[in-house]
Amino acid sequence: MSDNSSGKEITVPPIADELGRVFADGGFELHLVGGPVRDAVLRRSVSDLDFTTDARPEATEAILRAHCSTVWTTGADFGTIGGLFRGEQVEVTTFRADAYDRVSRNPIVRYGDNLVDDLERRDFTVNAMAVSVPGHEFTDPFGGLADIARQTIRTPASPESSFADDPLRMLRAARFAAQLGFGIDPQTLDAMRRMAPELGRITAERIRDEFVKLLTAPDPVVGLRILVDTGLAEHFLPELPALRMEIDEHAQHKDVYEHSLQVLRNAIALEQDGPDLLLRLAALLHDIGKPETKDVAEGGGVTFHHHDVAGARLARRRMRELKFPKADVQAVSLLISLHLRFYGYGDAGWTDSAVRRYVTDAEAQLDRLHLLVRSDCTTRNRRKAERLRRDYDAFEDRIARIRAEEDLRAVRPDLDGNAIMELLGLPPGPQVGRAWAYLKELRLERGPMSREEAESQLRAWAAAEGLAPSPDAG
């Protein structure tokens, strides 16, 4: 179905028309397709420019090389050639009519000869619309425009066929629901529930990338609920549905699943510069150690002792399995391991030494830790919530005061390894490391020391340890 009037109402970036004229001069069709068309219909900004054409890849490459400052062919095996056209990144893909082996998900690449067949193989109707350039003929054979009006996610072909071709599309459905605020068509949702085990065919890297897009969407909670309700989460993040623990008849603990989703929402509300993936991951996963550590104490109370430690371990394992970068794994597991440290500050009266340790242990994640701890307060008791807020305000003020006096971002011993070896007459080795560790602990306890104080303390420690300096040392 073509609807020229709808196409005229869509604002096409001028650069798309320019490229369309270049292809037309070569005797080929060019259509803006997929996300850019959907976003134009929704009056959202159009950034990535994706096109489809009847030109074969070698012809596309020749055209782009003649008109682009840079051309890349990394997707050539799948019919996609990219380039920098008038300073904008564009990707042009030959019409496709692929078949899938439905075992590995790898497509058997076959080029098509018409636009409609190409659109039918796309994931959802809202992404299966096209606008010709420069003519602006609007093509919508599967009702994408109507689904946008209904705010519905639906597959062009049957959902069973679509998801069998590429099971990752089930995660993409949840992601688009989170990004666009759309619901999922009941037939499509039912197929997701039945076909969730098919996700096992997808590599960890592809699952991770799609999950990251979902988690950084405007409202990831919408998508996360879909992942849990359809059973998809069980196949790559089982710790999330495991949070739906049975609450005992006396309601001795809050609903950990709902609490975790609320903490995520709280964290998002505190973000300053756009989506913070590491903060969102830590907020979502901060309590995943609770199911493993749940215990019923005498009197019927429920405890989760050391769930922070267990949660950090579980998050580390799961993120490694999903092939997250090592630095991200370390950051999120550190945040989870420290998220309970603050509680009790207002009652216990922390020493400056305890504050130094908090800052030092948090390392580069201190600012995220502040946001995570604040987000973790979901109590409906306004008096308790206000007390926790005041306590953390005072805590951050105290950190700022101590920071003004000391360099807490790099709390290091007052003597380096070379000075220790010279002072104690030691060769390089584990004894120097022990001396360095002692000085660091001393620095955390007492704050900065003069060199004379540090040397005096080190000599006393060395003597007690049987490491007295040699006669010609220092």
Side-chain angles (χ1 to χ4, degrees):
M1 172 183 74
S2 295
D3 185 338
N4 294 336
S5 61
S6 297
K8 294 297 184 183
E9 296 171 3
I10 294 175
T11 302
V12 174
I15 197 170
D17 285 335
E18 288 186 49
L19 187 62
R21 281 188 283 270
V22 168
F23 272 76
D25 289 344
F28 299 108
E29 300 177 30
L30 190 69
H31 304 265
L32 190 64
V33 69
V37 178
R38 178 200 69 224
D39 290 341
V41 170
L42 289 168
R43 301 292 191 268
R44 298 170 54 166
S45 61
V46 175
S47 51
D48 297 333
L49 297 178
D50 294 328
F51 299 89
T52 189
T53 181
D54 58 342
R56 291 296 191 257
E58 56 274 15
T60 296
E61 182 178 351
I63 291 173
L64 293 185
R65 287 199 182 280
H67 295 87
C68 291
S69 57
T70 303
V71 172
W72 52 91
T73 59
T74 50
D77 289 345
F78 299 96
T80 301
I81 308 295
L84 206 59
F85 179 76
R86 309 285 194 268
E88 293 285 340
Q89 181 174 313
V90 300
E91 289 195 339
V92 182
T93 302
T94 300
F95 291 160
R96 296 269 293 275
D98 300 337
Y100 289 81
D101 61 18
R102 297 193 173 183
V103 176
S104 66
R105 184 269 160 199
N106 295 324
I108 302 169
V109 177
R110 189 172 75 240
Y111 298 125
D113 56 11
N114 68 87
L115 176 61
V116 172
D117 286 350
D118 179 90
L119 295 177
E120 186 176 16
R121 56 169 287 278
R122 294 177 181 269
D123 53 7
F124 305 109
T125 60
V126 297
N127 297 328
M129 301 178 293
V131 176
S132 67
V133 286
H136 295 193
E137 180 180 355
F138 182 68
T139 303
D140 178 23
F142 303 104
L145 198 61
D147 283 340
I148 286 178
R150 288 192 292 263
Q151 298 190 326
T152 298
I153 303 296
R154 184 172 60 86
T155 57
S158 74
E160 292 81 6
S161 175
S162 181
F163 297 153
D165 282 348
D166 185 1
L168 191 69
R169 289 172 174 171
M170 294 185 285
L171 290 191
R172 297 188 74 191
R175 189 247 292 184
F176 280 120
Q179 283 184 336
L180 303 175
F182 286 10
I184 298 179
D185 166 70
Q187 185 180 355
T188 303
L189 197 62
D190 181 61
M192 290 166 64
R193 292 190 181 97
R194 289 184 284 105
M195 299 180 69
E198 293 292 311
L199 200 60
R201 292 161 41 198
I202 303 301
T203 65
E205 290 87 351
R206 292 187 70 217
I207 290 174
R208 175 204 62 212
D209 290 347
E210 196 59 51
F211 179 61
V212 166
K213 291 176 184 177
L214 186 157
L215 200 57
T216 52
D219 189 3
V221 171
V222 169
L224 292 168
R225 289 192 187 280
I226 292 170
L227 295 181
V228 171
D229 293 345
T230 58
L232 285 163
E234 293 281 359
H235 298 279
F236 73 98
L237 190 64
E239 293 81 5
L240 181 59
L243 293 176
R244 298 181 299 179
M245 294 182 290
E246 181 179 353
I247 299 179
D248 59 278
E249 58 181 317
H250 301 294
Q252 291 293 325
H253 69 84
K254 66 179 70 177
D255 184 324
V256 182
Y257 173 66
E258 292 297 333
H259 165 73
S260 297
L261 296 181
Q262 185 58 51
V263 172
L264 173 57
R265 280 197 166 121
N266 292 349
I268 292 170
L270 294 176
E271 291 173 338
Q272 298 294 319
D273 300 311
D276 184 335
L277 173 64
L278 300 185
L279 175 62
R280 293 187 182 198
L281 278 168
L284 179 65
L285 304 178
H286 76 287
D287 273 351
I288 59 172
K290 281 191 171 180
E292 180 179 299
T293 58
K294 181 181 178 181
D295 193 20
V296 179
E298 285 189 35
V302 177
T303 64
F304 303 99
H305 293 310
H306 307 301
H307 76 266
D308 47 341
V309 177
R313 170 175 50 79
L314 292 171
R316 189 161 46 245
R317 182 184 70 187
R318 183 58 54 199
M319 290 182 68
R320 284 172 177 166
E321 290 183 358
L322 289 172
K323 310 298 183 183
F324 276 90
K326 182 178 179 181
D328 291 357
V329 175
Q330 292 174 335
V332 172
S333 60
L334 177 65
L335 288 166
I336 294 173
S337 71
L338 293 176
H339 82 275
L340 290 181
R341 177 88 64 92
F342 164 76
Y343 291 96
Y345 169 79
D347 300 326
W350 282 20
T351 63
D352 282 356
S353 171
V355 175
R356 290 188 196 100
R357 289 180 186 279
Y358 187 90
V359 173
T360 302
D361 290 348
E363 300 173 338
Q365 302 306 317
L366 180 63
D367 291 339
R368 283 195 180 97
L369 183 58
H370 288 331
L371 299 180
L372 177 61
V373 173
R374 289 184 181 277
S375 300
D376 195 22
C377 178
T378 62
T379 179
R380 295 180 182 178
N381 184 323
R382 292 186 179 180
R383 182 175 299 177
K384 181 180 179 181
E386 178 60 22
R387 177 175 59 80
L388 286 170
R389 186 193 64 77
R390 287 198 310 269
D391 284 349
Y392 210 85
D393 285 347
F395 185 52
E396 287 200 59
D397 289 343
R398 188 172 177 188
I399 289 174
R401 175 181 61 77
I402 295 176
R403 259 186 178 162
E405 301 168 358
E406 308 169 14
D407 183 13
L408 279 182
R409 286 197 181 275
V411 175
R412 300 179 62 81
D414 296 86
L415 300 174
D416 63 17
N418 290 328
I420 291 171
M421 289 189 288
E422 181 180 353
L423 184 69
L424 299 183
L426 295 173
Q431 292 178 334
V432 178
R434 287 175 55 211
W436 189 91
Y438 167 74
L439 283 177
K440 180 175 181 179
E441 286 297 309
L442 194 64
R443 170 74 181 269
L444 287 169
E445 289 291 339
R446 297 178 45 173
M449 294 179 291
S450 68
R451 187 178 184 90
E452 292 74 18
E453 288 177 298
E455 290 180 351
S456 175
Q457 291 292 331
L458 183 60
R459 285 193 182 97
W461 173 83
E465 294 289 319
L467 297 176
S470 61
D472 58 347

